[in-house]
Amino acid sequence: MSLAHGHPYLAIPGPSVIPDAVQRAMHRAAPNIYTGELTQMMPGIIADLKRIARTDAHCAIYIANGHGTWEAALANVISPGDKLLFPATGRFAHGWSEVATRLGAEVEMLDFGKQSAIDPARVAEILAADTHHRIKALPVVFVDTSTGIRNDIKALRKVLDDLDHPALLLADCIASLACDPYEMDAWGVDVTISACQKGLMTPPGLGFIFYNDKADRVRENAGCVTHYWDWRPRTDPAELYRYFDGTAPTHHIFGLRAALDMIHAEGFDNVLARHRTLARALWAAFEAWGKGGPMELNMSDPALRSHAVTSAKIGEDRGDRLRDWCEQKAGVTLGIGLGMAAPGTYAATGYFRVGHMGHINAHMMLGVLAVIQSGMTALDIPFGAGALDAATAICAEA
Ligand SMILES: *Cc1c(COP(=O)(O)O)cnc(C)c1O
């Protein structure tokens, strides 16, 4: 017997749950791509995206997933042979650095492991030794989606400023935009990248780059800029097809518009507060379980945890068995233990992740927690008492 029949629930860290309003907005006949509604919608969409990234910088949109956006950002600011310093706090910095290597950059990794945030002092040591300014960019993953670590971007800006180092500061906000507080301009980020399928609640397919004038001046001489990845023609063009260097992602534009309207209707601060409270509820449950069993949050310090994704260790092959049980018996799909295994293996069987980004509310989060607890009970995995009480108490305070 399975209790999974009913509305399935996707609790992976992207793509995230698609709101009905977004689906409805996309369910329509093919529109004109030359004039009319779609063309008129673009300036408003760009303005709303900038509000969410907290920036007055330029914005370019690509038909691409996060990997495409990684490449788009780098292609505009580097030349073959340029050196880049990638601090890593999980799988995603490595993924981005592989893109840089293929573009011909010389990559230096500064790996902080899977349970520590970036230490600005160690970044400072390397930049201070770079007296000839060979390091052209510092690409940083703000929230690493494999480990759930949230890095201090502002501190890295200070490192660059204190050393008067001209390297560009690039931030990957794909997992975190509209979930974790982020301030592109106030934190002094030169290039921010994101995508639509996580906090922005739209099916995968749109990538966003926000870049300031300093980054645009670097683009002037960047040897990797190609026709398709060039951000300039995509920024504030007159015709719709120039935004996308070709056919517009018609239905995605309608979907994204609906998602942005939802964020606006709720109020951006309320969106962030909802993520914070639901994340705290989730963590409270995991901490309670951990007091009487093998469950353990990857990050013990709440100040370093993302409010969009949580990575947990449960040991041996229990992560995989629990994920299978939750999906098959209860209709909840949890995320794999991405990046937590030994090098060369894809995912760790003793880890799993919960995405809590975008269109999530208390009943979804509490449902996920109750299902995880049911799964542990069914699989004879021991756990501490009071987890659901701890989570509901936090929801009750809201
Ligand atoms: C999801 C994600 C990516 C990759 O996005 P894809 O759409 O899967 O290519 C990159 N960086 C971060 C931080 C992410 O969360």
Side-chain angles (χ1 to χ4, degrees):
M1 202 265 292
S2 169
L3 301 173
H5 300 278
H7 204 301
Y9 184 70
L10 190 64
I12 68 174
S16 62
V17 174
I18 304 170
D20 291 347
V22 172
Q23 287 195 45
R24 277 198 300 272
M26 298 178 79
H27 189 98
R28 52 177 293 163
N32 187 347
I33 57 164
Y34 302 109
T35 55
E37 197 184 355
L38 272 182
T39 313
Q40 287 159 14
M41 283 163 71
M42 290 309 297
I45 285 180
I46 301 277
D48 286 352
L49 288 170
K50 288 190 201 177
R51 264 194 281 279
I52 289 172
R54 309 280 292 158
T55 184
D56 292 326
H58 312 283
C59 175
I61 309 185
Y62 296 82
I63 299 182
N65 61 15
H67 282 68
T69 316
W70 274 343
E71 184 156 324
L74 294 176
N76 278 280
V77 297
I78 65 168
S79 299
D82 278 359
K83 193 169 170 187
L84 306 183
L85 175 62
F86 278 89
T89 57
R91 175 69 206 128
F92 285 76
H94 293 280
W96 199 2
S97 78
E98 285 154 19
V99 175
T101 303
R102 288 294 293 273
L103 285 170
E106 183 190 324
V107 162
E108 177 167 353
M109 297 305 296
L110 179 58
D111 201 329
F112 293 94
K114 293 164 187 166
Q115 291 185 301
S116 323
I118 296 170
D119 176 0
R122 289 192 48 209
V123 174
E125 271 169 33
I126 293 180
L127 291 174
D130 180 42
T131 45
H132 297 294
H133 295 162
R134 285 201 54 230
I135 295 171
K136 300 298 181 196
L138 183 63
V140 181
V141 177
F142 174 39
V143 164
D144 187 288
T145 321
S146 61
T147 56
I149 296 173
R150 180 164 53 93
N151 286 299
D152 186 349
I153 302 287
K154 207 161 76 173
L156 296 171
R157 171 82 270 162
K158 188 169 181 317
V159 165
L160 289 163
D161 287 351
D162 288 351
L163 293 167
D164 213 5
H165 196 294
L168 291 175
L169 180 58
L170 278 53
D172 172 344
C173 296
I174 294 175
S176 52
L177 199 68
C179 307
D180 283 295
Y182 177 76
E183 300 276 345
M184 174 167 175
D185 290 357
W187 294 356
V189 177
D190 298 305
V191 179
T192 297
I193 68 168
S194 196
C196 68
Q197 77 271 25
K198 301 191 185 183
L200 296 180
M201 307 179 284
T202 305
L206 297 177
F208 311 113
I209 296 196
F210 307 89
Y211 62 96
N212 65 13
D213 289 335
K214 180 182 171 192
D216 200 37
R217 282 194 294 278
V218 171
R219 169 203 161 293
E220 208 73 66
N221 300 310
C224 291
V225 193
T226 59
H227 186 278
Y228 190 75
W229 291 131
D230 192 356
W231 61 34
R232 283 249 177 102
R234 294 170 181 262
T235 306
D236 305 320
E239 295 102 8
L240 185 65
Y241 78 90
R242 291 197 192 278
Y243 278 98
F244 300 99
D245 198 21
T247 306
T250 49
H251 290 67
H252 274 73
I253 297 174
F254 290 117
L256 179 63
R257 181 65 267 164
L260 294 168
D261 287 345
M262 289 176 68
I263 291 173
H264 181 70
E266 183 178 352
F268 190 53
D269 289 344
N270 296 332
V271 170
L272 298 179
R274 171 167 54 81
H275 280 84
R276 189 170 56 244
T277 302
L278 292 174
R280 282 179 51 231
L282 179 101
W283 301 336
F286 275 72
E287 281 161 1
W289 287 329
K291 293 206 172 95
M295 187 74 90
E296 197 184 321
L297 287 169
N298 184 51
M299 291 306 286
S300 54
D301 181 355
L304 303 179
R305 293 180 197 148
S306 164
H307 300 91
V309 51
T310 292
S311 181
K313 180 183 180 182
I314 188 167
E316 298 171 3
D317 62 349
R318 295 188 197 103
D320 277 6
R321 290 198 296 131
L322 186 60
R323 282 192 310 102
D324 287 347
W325 189 94
C326 291
E327 186 162 70
Q328 287 156 20
K329 294 288 189 182
V332 170
T333 304
L334 300 168
I336 58 171
L338 182 74
M340 298 310 251
T345 23
Y346 188 56
T349 57
Y351 285 81
F352 69 99
R353 293 172 303 157
V354 182
H356 33 102
M357 43 180 59
H359 194 53
I360 50 154
N361 64 19
H363 95 246
M364 292 158 145
M365 202 79 276
L366 294 173
V368 167
L369 294 172
V371 162
I372 292 173
Q373 184 163 310
S374 306
M376 288 192 291
T377 308
L379 298 171
D380 284 328
I381 300 170
F383 56 86
L388 299 177
D389 288 345
T392 52
I394 287 172
C395 291
E397 281 167 21

